[in-house]
Structures are given as structure tokens and as C-alpha cells.
Amino acid sequence: MASGSRVTTEAALRAAAARGEITPISPMGWARLSFRGLLLVLALILLVPLHYLYRTLAWGSPFPMYFLRFAAWVAGARVKVVGTPLKRDVFFIANHISWLDILALAGASGTAFVAKAELADAPVVGWLASLNRTVFVKRENRMGVAAQINDLRDALSDNWSVTVFPEGTVTDGQSLLPFKTSMLRVLEPPPANVLVQPVMLYYGAIAEWIGWVGNESGINNARRVLARKGSFPLELHFLEPFSPEDHHGRKAIAFKAREEIEAALVNRLGKPLREFEYSVDPVRYRAPEREMPIE
């Protein structure tokens, strides 16, 4: 009975958060949030100087990866890697549920990311993202696409891997939105020897709580996640890689990646995907060749 009551309470809080309300945190929740925050600060104090020291000797520092892996663990994620992530010359394409995705994926593979330009100006978070060579893009900056593509190519060269979340937003773990393809232009034509590897992220039932959806602020979502009791599973399914040269253009590449991620997510959920209940910018989605693919 108590378990059912907790589920009902969490569902009510999640619904309130999605409406943009500031959700309450219990005294024990604040204690957990403070302790986790302290652990992250201590990790930064230890690892950031080591990162900069390493960078005086070599370019590819492993310390951002170590920190992000630890941060995911501190936040409660117990990451399980399914399949084998490619180590270099790879473009990961993944579904997107939470900011925790970034911690877990980078912690598992050392990948860099493509992120919205606004993140670069966020206190602390923007600085942390820059340590991992995040590529910041302005989606509305049509005139700057060429420069952004060059940044992506540099990131592929420096980090050996880059991850994009082509849904363009986060979902609830039960849905999969159409893929936007602007940042896949780096694959037209594909850099030499680069493969595409789809990645399916699966949180199970906890995705309903973790998901940063609706009108919730990032701060409120982080507070909710870091204040939550206990841990939760997060599976990273690295699917079969494919050569972008076998698919004609970014739209066909996106269609192929989405098809693989959808099949893996449906298989893991054990049921069909559902419509995403929150409004997002409309994206046209049609299959390649038979019809025009994802925009």
C-alpha cells in the first residue's frame, strides 16, 4: 500500500513539474541533494586540476570522462552498457530523455556532444560542457551552419567520437520523436573512415520521473533527480554501427538510425511506443526513397 502511495505521489509531482510548478522537496530530500552536491564539488576539486595538468602534456584528457561517469553514479544512475561502443571515428546518434544521458554516455565512451548554444552561458554547466569539447550550436543560425559543421569535424578529429540527440528535445522514455537532421550535415560527405552507431537509452519505469518534459525548468528537474531516494538503472544499448556511405544523404542516415533505435526501444519496453503527450516544434518525418525522409 505504501509503495502504491509513493507511486501516486511521484506521478502527481511529475505532473506538477511538467506544468512548470516548483515541486516541494522533503527534509531528507534536501539532505540527499546536499550530500550529492558536495560529492560533485569534491570530485571537481580533485579532477579539474589534473585535467589541466594533463592538457599541458597531451590533448585528449580522460578526466572529464572520469568526472562525468562519477557524476552519473552520484546522481543515482547505475549504468549498464549493452553492446560495444566504438572507440574512435564514430558518430553516435541517440534518443534523449534527460541531462543524465550526457553524463552516462560520456562516462561510458568519452564522447563529445552537440548542444544548444544557450548551454554555453549556463553557470558551471557551460564550463563543464566546454571541458568535454562540447560543440555549441545555434539552431536558428542558418548562416552559421558551415562554421558549425567545421566545429563538428574538429570535434570528431579531437575526441574521436561525437554524439547528437536529433529529436531536438527530451522525451519520457516511452516515445520517440522524429529526427531533425541539420547537424548530420557533417556526414555529407562522410569524413574518412567514420561510422554511425545508433544508441538506445533505456531507463525503464523511472523514465517517467527522470524525464525533463513539458514546462519544467532545468533547475527543478535537477533538484527532483538529485533529491530522489535510492538509485535507478540506465541501460546504454550500443547498436550495430553502419557506414554513412551506404545511405544517400543525412536524411537517409537519420531514418536508418531512428529505425534501429525504435526497434530496440520497442523490444526493451515490450510494447509499442506511445505518442509524446507534450507539444514540441513540428518536424516532418517521411521515409527515404519511398517518400522524403526526416527533416
Side-chain angles (χ1 to χ4, degrees):
M1 186 70 177
S3 176
S5 175
R6 176 179 174 178
V7 170
T8 301
T9 301
E10 286 195 346
L13 287 173
R14 184 181 67 84
R19 293 193 297 269
E21 299 175 20
I22 299 175
T23 50
I25 296 177
S26 68
M28 282 303 299
W30 278 112
R32 287 189 288 269
L33 191 157
S34 299
F35 179 66
R36 286 167 170 158
L38 176 61
L39 288 178
L40 294 176
V41 169
L42 292 175
L44 283 174
I45 291 173
L46 172 64
L47 295 178
V48 168
L50 292 175
H51 166 73
Y52 283 115
L53 178 61
Y54 190 98
R55 287 288 296 270
T56 63
L57 305 174
W59 179 247
S61 167
F63 292 104
M65 180 178 70
Y66 296 158
F67 171 76
L68 293 170
R69 183 183 301 168
F70 178 71
W73 185 87
V74 167
R78 298 299 176 260
V79 177
K80 178 182 179 181
V81 175
V82 181
T84 304
L86 297 180
K87 298 299 183 182
R88 62 175 302 156
D89 298 327
V90 58
F91 203 83
F92 295 121
I93 297 179
N95 61 315
H96 199 15
I97 294 99
S98 167
W99 49 272
L100 290 164
D101 303 349
I102 295 174
L103 308 183
L105 278 168
S109 67
T111 182
F113 292 88
V114 177
K116 294 180 180 180
E118 292 79 4
L119 182 65
D121 299 322
V124 183
V125 176
W127 171 66
L128 288 173
S130 67
L131 291 182
N132 201 50
R133 274 305 301 274
T134 297
V135 179
F136 298 106
V137 300
K138 293 184 178 180
R139 297 186 187 277
E140 72 282 2
N141 184 11
R142 303 287 183 182
M143 301 301 291
V145 168
Q148 292 170 7
I149 297 304
N150 286 335
D151 288 343
L152 275 172
R153 291 184 184 275
D154 289 344
L156 269 173
S157 174
D158 295 337
N159 287 72
W160 296 348
S161 64
V162 169
T163 298
V164 295
F165 300 110
E167 289 171 285
T169 187
V170 289
T171 65
D172 53 14
Q174 316 285 320
S175 314
L176 189 65
L177 295 173
F179 282 5
K180 301 178 180 180
T181 65
S182 59
M183 285 301 103
L184 299 186
R185 289 177 181 170
V186 69
L187 301 175
E188 291 182 329
N193 303 317
V194 167
L195 295 178
V196 172
Q197 186 167 27
V199 186
M200 189 276 285
L201 287 85
Y202 178 75
Y203 286 80
I206 196 63
E208 297 278 13
W209 176 259
I210 295 295
W212 177 13
V213 296
N215 295 317
E216 183 177 19
S217 70
I219 292 176
N220 192 77
N221 183 269
R223 288 167 65 247
R224 284 198 303 109
V225 171
L226 294 174
R228 187 181 185 278
K229 181 180 179 180
S231 60
F232 51 88
L234 169 52
E235 298 176 8
L236 307 180
H237 292 253
F238 289 88
L239 308 177
E240 191 67 24
F242 62 88
S243 173
E245 294 182 350
D246 295 337
H247 301 271
H248 301 294
R250 58 190 170 91
K251 296 180 182 181
I253 292 169
F255 181 83
K256 168 67 174 175
R258 189 186 186 280
E259 194 173 47
E260 296 297 325
I261 292 169
E262 180 178 5
L265 184 55
V266 168
N267 180 66
R268 192 64 185 86
L269 286 170
K271 60 183 180 181
L273 301 182
R274 69 188 186 195
E275 291 291 323
F276 189 51
E277 61 182 298
Y278 301 96
S279 62
V280 294
D281 294 336
V283 184
R284 289 172 292 170
Y285 172 67
R286 290 177 293 176
E289 295 182 0
R290 296 183 298 275
E291 300 176 90
M292 290 294 291
I294 314 165
E295 288 291 338

